[in-house]
Amino acid sequence: MLSAQLLLAAAVGLVLGGIVTFFILRRRERVGRELEKSEARDEASRILKRASDEADTALRAGELAGREEGFRVREAWEKEETRRREDLERAERRNEERSVGLDRQVDQLKARELELGERVASLDDRHAEVTRRDAAVKEAGRSARVRLEQLAGLSAEEAKKELIESLEDEARADAANTLREVKEQAQREAEREARKIVTLSIQRMAADLTAQTTVSVVQLPSDEMKGRIIGREGRNIRAFEQATGVDVVIDDTPEAVVLSAFDPVRREIARMALAELVEDGRIHPGRIEETVEKAGKEVERTMFEGAEEVLYELGIHNVHSEIVKTLGRLRFRTSFGQNQLQHAKEVALLAGNMAAEMGLDVAETKRAGILHDVGKGMTHEHEGTHVELGYRLCKKHEESAIVLNAIKAHHDEEPHYFAETFLVSAADAISGSRPGARREMVEGYVKRLEKLEELAMEHPGVERCFAIQAGRELRVMVEPSRVTDGDMAQISEAVARKIENELQYPGQIKVVVVRETRAIDFAR
């Protein structure tokens, strides 16, 4: 009985101990979870605080960088504004100086006009006095002739015949000398006046010169881009060459691709398209065709705007859009390295300035100057010379007779019918022949010099000759025993005409004939 009670008490104790243990463990678990939650909250608070601190630091750094960038932008703007203000002041000073110079010239012209008026009045008085004296001399001559006939026993006709026969050779020689002197004086005065007009025209026009070639270079970010340009089995480069019509040269040149084409417009389209493809990074045949078409439209727009800008600067209006479009193609056309749009602009400015000095039609002269080589914008697509193409284009759109004559006359395909077209031809020669304007191949340059010397050596009496001043002057040495001083002018004129007929050259060539006589002896 007692053992049964003990067992019951032990069982009850075990049950109570298990229950107490369960509640204790559960409480401990609850306390542990609360501790974990507290630690998690503390960790989250620390993370939020650290993030807040980092955000504040980044915000302050951004504010400092923004302020520094603002200071830099402001400083750059102030420098640019100062530079523009200085340029404006310099331009104003130049305008004031030009205005003062023009006023001075006007005063000088007025003074000369007054002086000429006084000279005219004086000449009128002298003319009246000479007329009076001439009548008196004629009367005295009649009296003297009657007296001489009585004394000599000869009639006036017989005496006149003898006098004419005795003085005929002397009169002919005097007339030849006088003619030569008048010709030389007229030539000196004409050259001096022409040099003055051309110099003034050139001084009023400042031109920049850029020499272009038949290749363009596109820079690459890395040499790996060359492989992407070529494409798998060369499909990209073939598609690009077919779409643009240019040759793509990929060699060992680091980070560069060369585009070669004779047509400068196609070459410029290819350059713009390839640059955009390289920048975009997507290079495949479909993308190439799309980019080339876009570049072509951009180049057409650039050429048209370039031509419009030149016409606006020259003050030329009412030009047909087809002519403006063709003129714009000259922006990418060169001749001996000289940009043809800039050349046409130079010719228009030079010819216009000379027309203003000579009192001619400045507007028509400028218009003829800018359009004299417009046909060069069509020679890559049409058959015929640039003179024929430009003439047909301008005639189709009803340009004036001066413009049409200037297009043909500046290459001697028809005579000059207007004074303005002479100025266009002169301005064309000046623009093309001034030093540095055009480049010439070495072989052609040497052949031209050799041909110059050969033409001079063909004339009888020429001992030797030298082409100097880069072929712009020819010194001809003659044999003094075979050539007289009177023959020198004939030789220089004959050589000059022969050069004009048989050679093509820019500008003009001066022919100088030298005759030297030496007397040598020795003192022993």
Side-chain angles (χ1 to χ4, degrees):
M1 186 67 181
L2 182 59
S3 61
Q5 293 177 350
L6 290 174
L7 288 173
L8 181 61
V12 171
L14 287 173
V15 172
L16 292 174
I19 293 171
V20 171
T21 302
F22 172 76
F23 283 107
I24 291 173
L25 291 175
R26 189 173 181 181
R27 181 175 179 80
R28 284 182 179 179
E29 184 179 356
R30 188 184 300 115
V31 171
R33 285 197 298 270
E34 291 177 354
L35 288 174
E36 288 177 357
K37 290 180 179 180
S38 177
E39 290 176 356
R41 283 194 296 270
D42 293 341
E43 181 65 24
S45 299
R46 287 195 296 275
I47 291 173
L48 288 174
K49 184 177 180 182
R50 188 165 56 252
S52 177
D53 294 340
E54 291 177 355
D56 293 340
T57 303
L59 180 60
R60 286 194 295 272
E63 290 178 353
L64 291 175
R67 291 177 181 176
E68 292 178 357
E69 183 64 22
F71 288 146
R72 284 196 296 272
V73 171
R74 182 177 180 181
E75 184 179 356
W77 176 82
E78 290 177 350
K79 290 182 178 179
E80 180 65 18
E81 186 66 20
T82 302
R83 185 186 64 78
R84 291 180 179 177
R85 189 162 48 250
E86 291 176 353
D87 292 342
L88 182 60
E89 291 175 355
R90 283 196 295 270
E92 290 178 352
R93 286 197 297 270
R94 286 196 298 270
N95 289 333
E96 290 178 358
E97 292 174 357
R98 291 177 180 176
S99 177
V100 171
L102 291 175
D103 293 340
R104 189 181 301 112
Q105 291 182 3
V106 170
D107 294 339
Q108 292 176 355
L109 289 174
K110 290 182 179 178
R112 290 180 61 185
E113 185 178 359
L114 293 175
E115 183 180 353
L116 288 174
E118 294 176 356
R119 289 184 178 181
V120 168
S122 176
L123 288 174
D124 291 339
D125 296 339
R126 293 178 62 184
H127 182 267
E129 179 66 19
V130 168
T131 303
R132 185 182 60 79
R133 291 185 178 182
D134 184 59
V137 168
K138 287 180 179 179
E139 182 61 28
R142 283 194 295 270
S143 302
R145 185 168 60 249
V146 172
R147 180 62 177 166
L148 287 173
E149 289 177 357
Q150 293 174 355
L151 293 176
L154 294 174
S155 65
E157 292 298 330
E158 293 173 349
K160 186 185 299 183
K161 183 177 180 180
E162 291 183 5
L163 180 63
I164 291 174
E165 290 176 353
S166 63
L167 298 178
E168 184 176 8
D169 294 335
E170 183 180 354
R172 186 178 293 110
D174 291 341
N177 292 332
T178 303
L179 179 61
R180 185 178 61 184
E181 292 176 358
V182 170
K183 181 179 179 181
E184 292 177 354
Q185 181 180 1
Q187 185 174 2
R188 285 195 300 269
E189 293 178 355
E191 288 180 354
R192 182 168 58 251
E193 191 65 22
R195 191 178 294 112
K196 175 184 175 183
I197 293 174
V198 172
T199 303
L200 289 174
S201 301
I202 293 176
Q203 286 176 349
R204 295 178 183 175
M205 188 271 300
D208 296 328
L209 177 68
T210 57
Q212 301 178 2
T213 60
T214 58
V215 298
S216 298
V217 179
V218 178
Q219 298 297 329
L220 303 178
S222 64
D223 285 338
E224 297 178 357
M225 187 62 67
K226 293 182 179 180
R228 300 178 64 182
I229 294 174
I230 296 173
R232 182 179 300 175
E233 298 179 356
R235 65 174 186 173
N236 289 346
I237 191 171
R238 284 198 301 271
F240 187 84
E241 290 181 342
Q242 184 177 0
T244 58
V246 304
D247 294 328
V248 181
V249 181
I250 300 178
D251 52 18
D252 296 335
T253 305
E255 300 180 357
V257 172
V258 177
L259 304 176
S260 176
F262 181 71
D263 189 341
V265 177
R266 291 205 306 264
R267 189 172 69 248
E268 181 64 16
I269 293 174
R271 186 193 67 79
M272 292 180 64
L274 185 58
E276 184 173 350
L277 289 170
V278 169
E279 182 179 359
D280 183 53
R282 296 177 296 167
I283 304 177
H284 53 82
R287 176 66 176 165
I288 288 172
E289 292 180 0
E290 177 185 348
T291 306
V292 169
E293 182 179 358
K294 179 181 176 182
K297 294 179 180 179
E298 180 65 21
V299 170
E300 290 290 339
R301 184 185 62 82
T302 303
M303 292 188 299
F304 194 85
E305 291 179 353
E308 283 187 329
E309 182 179 353
V310 170
L311 293 173
Y312 177 78
E313 291 177 3
L314 295 174
I316 300 174
H317 308 288
N318 299 325
V319 181
H320 195 274
S321 60
E322 190 67 26
I323 297 178
V324 176
K325 181 180 178 181
T326 306
L327 184 65
R329 298 179 71 87
L330 299 183
R331 180 171 183 174
F332 299 106
R333 173 71 189 267
T334 60
S335 177
F336 294 98
Q338 185 181 28
N339 183 277
Q340 288 303 286
L341 184 58
Q342 292 300 320
H343 165 67
K345 181 180 176 182
E346 280 185 23
V347 171
L349 289 173
L350 286 169
N353 290 335
M354 289 189 286
E357 290 292 330
M358 300 175 66
L360 301 176
D361 191 338
V362 177
E364 280 297 318
T365 306
K366 285 185 176 181
R367 195 180 188 95
I370 195 65
L371 297 179
H372 79 286
D373 272 343
V374 68
K376 289 184 177 179
M378 306 170 65
T379 53
H380 287 86
E381 300 175 353
H382 301 80
E383 293 184 359
T385 65
H386 76 276
V387 175
E388 296 173 355
L389 297 173
Y391 182 84
R392 288 202 296 263
L393 176 66
C394 292
K395 187 174 183 179
K396 174 183 176 182
H397 298 293
E398 299 180 352
E399 286 293 334
S400 65
I402 294 178
V403 174
L404 298 177
N405 182 233
I407 293 174
K408 282 199 169 184
H410 85 283
H411 274 286
D412 297 325
E413 294 198 5
E414 72 178 23
H416 293 81
Y417 298 126
F418 304 93
E420 288 83 358
T421 60
F422 280 103
L423 299 183
V424 172
S425 298
D428 179 52
I430 293 171
S431 175
S433 63
R434 61 183 175 82
R438 295 186 175 182
R439 296 175 299 162
E440 190 173 12
M441 298 300 291
V442 177
E443 295 83 358
Y445 170 73
V446 173
K447 289 181 180 179
R448 181 161 62 85
L449 297 187
E450 292 176 350
K451 186 64 175 177
L452 273 176
E453 296 179 353
E454 289 177 4
L455 291 177
M457 290 297 296
E458 293 175 359
H459 200 281
V462 176
E463 183 178 5
R464 60 187 185 277
C465 62
F466 305 99
I468 61 175
Q469 299 289 338
R472 303 189 188 282
E473 182 175 340
L474 184 64
R475 293 280 177 89
V476 181
M477 310 296 180
V478 297
E479 299 178 11
S481 59
R482 297 178 58 188
V483 178
T484 64
D485 290 341
D487 298 333
M488 293 172 62
Q490 298 178 0
I491 293 177
S492 63
E493 184 176 359
V495 172
R497 299 294 82 77
K498 199 167 190 178
I499 292 173
E500 289 177 356
N501 295 329
E502 300 187 19
L503 276 185
Q504 290 185 353
Y505 50 90
Q508 63 181 11
I509 297 176
K510 181 180 180 181
V511 180
V512 180
V513 179
V514 179
R515 178 177 181 270
E516 182 181 25
T517 304
R518 297 185 182 183
I520 302 175
D521 201 350
F522 297 94
R524 297 181 177 87

